[in-house]
Amino acid sequence: MFFSFVDELRAAGIPASLKEHLTLLEALDAEVIATRPEDFYYLARATFVKDESLIDRFDQVFGKVFKGLETTYGTEEAPIPEEWLRKIAELYLTPEQMAEIKSLGSWEEIMETLKKRLEEQKERHQGGSKWIGTGGTSPFGHGGYNPEGVRIGGEGRHGRALKVWDKREFRNLDSSKELGTRNIKVALRRLRRFAREGAADELDIDGTIDGTARKGWLDIRMRPERHNAVKLLLFLDIGGSMDPHVRVCEELFSAATAEFKNLEFFYFHNCVYEGVWKDNARRFTERTPTWDVLHKYGHDYKLVFVGDASMSPYEISHAGGSVEHYNEEAGAAWMQRLTTTYPAAVWLNPLGEQHWGYSHSIGMIRELMRGRMFPLTLDGLDNAMRELSRKS
């Protein structure tokens, strides 16, 4: 199994040498970790992964090779799968029954009612119309139905929740992913302003020919290498409804990394708030305050948001509307600060433009961007780069 593990790592582009393989075996022989799958995972990752951008690929290989490692042996009775129990708890209603269920009202009324229920509820509930639980018609919980409420955990089924409280696990985009087409790079090249910087370490052929002709002897001229001087801030929406768009976002991320020397990127979820991050595995412990971004990077940076802008409108308009934490200020306030600080800004949306009119939140983001939202297609990307160039 260990030899196949090394082979799979190499096939995935992770440099795994015989030395590292022997180091892992020596560590296991010395019993430096407890005999738990989680401890073995971290030991193997520390041994083989030398670059954080390879962690996601390592996770995929580890899951493939050691699938079923956590199987429990020796139990006499097989437990009923949790998925079966959860599906039984989900409530299925006819359209007529759904129409009879009333909404609690406004955002403020729903959140105030949730606060009271959290204070009063002392035990688990299922199938009811009031308490936080699974199934039923309560506006709080999951697995049931209510025309407007707060989904707490579980999976979305009807798309009617105005707020979702759930911890998400997102993975980083892979900057080394090869493009399916080089046309994305071609479109990005519209946003170029070349300058020669650094040491004079590139042969200037025209200058050398001219100097030699003028002086009568070989006059070698050198010059600094030519670089794209455009500075780019890339904000990437990650997780949730963005999962189906990971591939095209990875292609864009890979192309931008190759095309722009002065590139800084950050992740966010749904809408930008007071903090952004660079590593999704540490997004709760290693955040960068958005104020620091505004103060560190100058007004000459171009700002590009990438996201489907599909969320509850309250995530944009209200304090406390965020999915994963309590935001002191509305997302709209942070969007306005960013677009004011960086006048050259666009939003790239991977969702088809024909669907934009069906989402209130997309309309709100378009308004905050003053119409500068473009579809993440080759034509849309080309138009976005023209817009950013026009703002130079």
Side-chain angles (χ1 to χ4, degrees):
M1 179 180 286
F2 286 156
F3 281 115
S4 66
F5 183 37
V6 174
D7 291 339
E8 290 287 348
L9 289 172
R10 290 172 178 167
I14 300 175
S17 67
L18 180 60
K19 179 181 178 181
E20 289 160 334
H21 174 63
L22 293 175
T23 299
L24 177 62
L25 294 179
E26 289 174 3
L28 292 173
D29 187 57
E31 298 182 350
V32 299
I33 60 170
T35 55
R36 295 197 305 259
E38 184 178 1
D39 292 342
F40 173 66
Y41 161 79
Y42 284 111
L43 174 63
R45 195 179 79 174
T47 304
F48 289 107
V49 178
K50 305 300 190 294
D51 187 333
E52 285 190 349
S53 66
L54 300 176
I55 289 178
D56 179 58
R57 272 183 274 174
F58 176 85
D59 288 350
Q60 294 180 40
V61 172
F62 190 90
K64 176 182 177 182
V65 175
F66 298 106
K67 184 177 181 181
L69 193 64
E70 295 182 309
T71 301
T72 302
Y73 298 97
T75 56
E76 295 181 359
E77 296 182 1
I80 299 174
E82 180 183 350
E83 179 70 11
W84 293 8
L85 295 175
R86 185 174 63 80
K87 288 298 181 183
I88 292 173
E90 290 182 351
L91 180 65
Y92 293 91
L93 303 175
T94 66
E96 292 76 16
Q97 290 173 318
M98 289 181 180
E100 293 176 358
I101 302 171
K102 304 297 183 182
S103 168
L104 285 177
S106 68
W107 161 271
E108 289 77 12
E109 290 171 323
I110 290 175
M111 297 309 294
E112 182 62 29
T113 303
L114 174 60
K115 181 180 178 182
K116 292 179 181 177
R117 300 278 165 86
L118 287 171
E119 293 172 351
E120 297 171 1
Q121 185 166 333
K122 304 300 181 184
E123 59 186 11
R124 183 184 183 279
H125 285 269
Q126 175 180 317
S129 61
K130 176 181 178 181
W131 299 110
I132 303 166
T134 57
T137 59
S138 168
F140 311 113
H142 71 87
Y145 173 81
N146 192 279
E148 200 172 43
V150 179
R151 175 164 63 83
I152 302 175
E155 299 176 359
R157 296 173 59 230
H158 301 288
R160 303 301 297 272
L162 61 83
K163 180 174 175 62
V164 177
W165 271 344
D166 192 13
K167 181 179 179 183
R168 313 290 181 84
E169 297 297 335
F170 310 146
R171 67 183 183 89
N172 296 334
L173 298 182
D174 190 347
S175 62
S176 65
K177 182 176 178 63
E178 289 298 321
L179 292 173
T181 172
R182 65 184 297 273
N183 290 337
I184 295 181
K185 284 187 177 182
V186 173
L188 291 177
R189 286 172 188 167
R190 286 196 177 277
L191 190 60
R192 292 187 294 184
R193 187 175 67 249
F194 287 110
R196 296 193 179 277
E197 302 171 343
D201 55 4
E202 180 182 271
L203 177 63
D204 183 354
I205 296 178
D206 292 338
T208 298
I209 293 173
D210 182 70
T212 300
R214 290 176 183 277
K215 296 181 179 180
W217 65 80
L218 182 61
D219 181 21
I220 297 178
R221 305 278 183 91
M222 303 297 289
R223 62 185 179 184
E225 188 178 352
R226 191 167 172 246
H227 293 291
N228 187 354
V230 170
K231 300 175 182 178
L232 187 67
L233 269 176
L234 187 61
F235 279 64
L236 298 150
D237 185 4
I238 199 79
S241 60
M242 283 295 292
D243 286 346
H245 309 296
V246 165
R247 180 174 180 178
V248 68
C249 288
E250 283 185 333
E251 292 177 352
L252 175 66
F253 185 45
S254 177
T257 303
E259 289 299 318
F260 299 103
K261 178 184 178 183
N262 301 309
L263 169 67
E264 293 291 339
F265 74 92
F266 296 95
Y267 294 116
F268 68 97
H269 182 54
N270 285 353
C271 191
V272 177
Y273 299 108
E274 69 279 1
V276 291
W277 58 92
K278 282 184 169 288
D279 187 341
N280 285 302
R282 300 188 179 99
R283 70 187 186 281
F284 295 111
T285 57
E286 296 182 8
R287 291 205 174 204
T288 301
T290 308
W291 276 122
D292 289 359
V293 175
L294 293 167
H295 292 151
K296 180 176 181 180
Y297 303 104
H299 302 314
D300 56 336
Y301 271 81
K302 313 286 188 183
L303 177 60
V304 177
F305 296 97
V306 182
D308 61 2
S310 299
M311 66 197 92
S312 165
Y314 296 107
E315 295 183 55
I316 304 170
S317 61
H318 280 61
S322 170
V323 172
E324 293 191 311
H325 76 297
Y326 184 85
N327 51 300
E328 297 288 346
E329 293 184 276
W334 290 104
M335 290 295 298
Q336 289 168 351
R337 290 183 182 120
L338 284 162
T339 53
T340 300
T341 302
Y342 306 105
V346 297
W347 186 292
L348 297 174
N349 194 329
L351 192 65
E353 192 171 4
Q354 68 273 20
H355 302 298
W356 292 2
Y358 298 104
S359 172
H360 184 43
S361 62
I362 292 179
M364 294 172 70
I365 292 294
R366 290 183 74 184
E367 184 176 350
L368 289 167
M369 293 299 300
R370 295 188 290 277
R372 292 170 294 170
M373 180 181 285
F374 301 88
L376 189 47
T377 60
L378 293 178
D379 287 341
L381 194 56
D382 189 65
N383 292 332
M385 296 305 104
R386 291 177 187 273
E387 170 68 21
L388 291 177
S389 299
R390 189 175 65 82
K391 293 285 186 179
S392 298

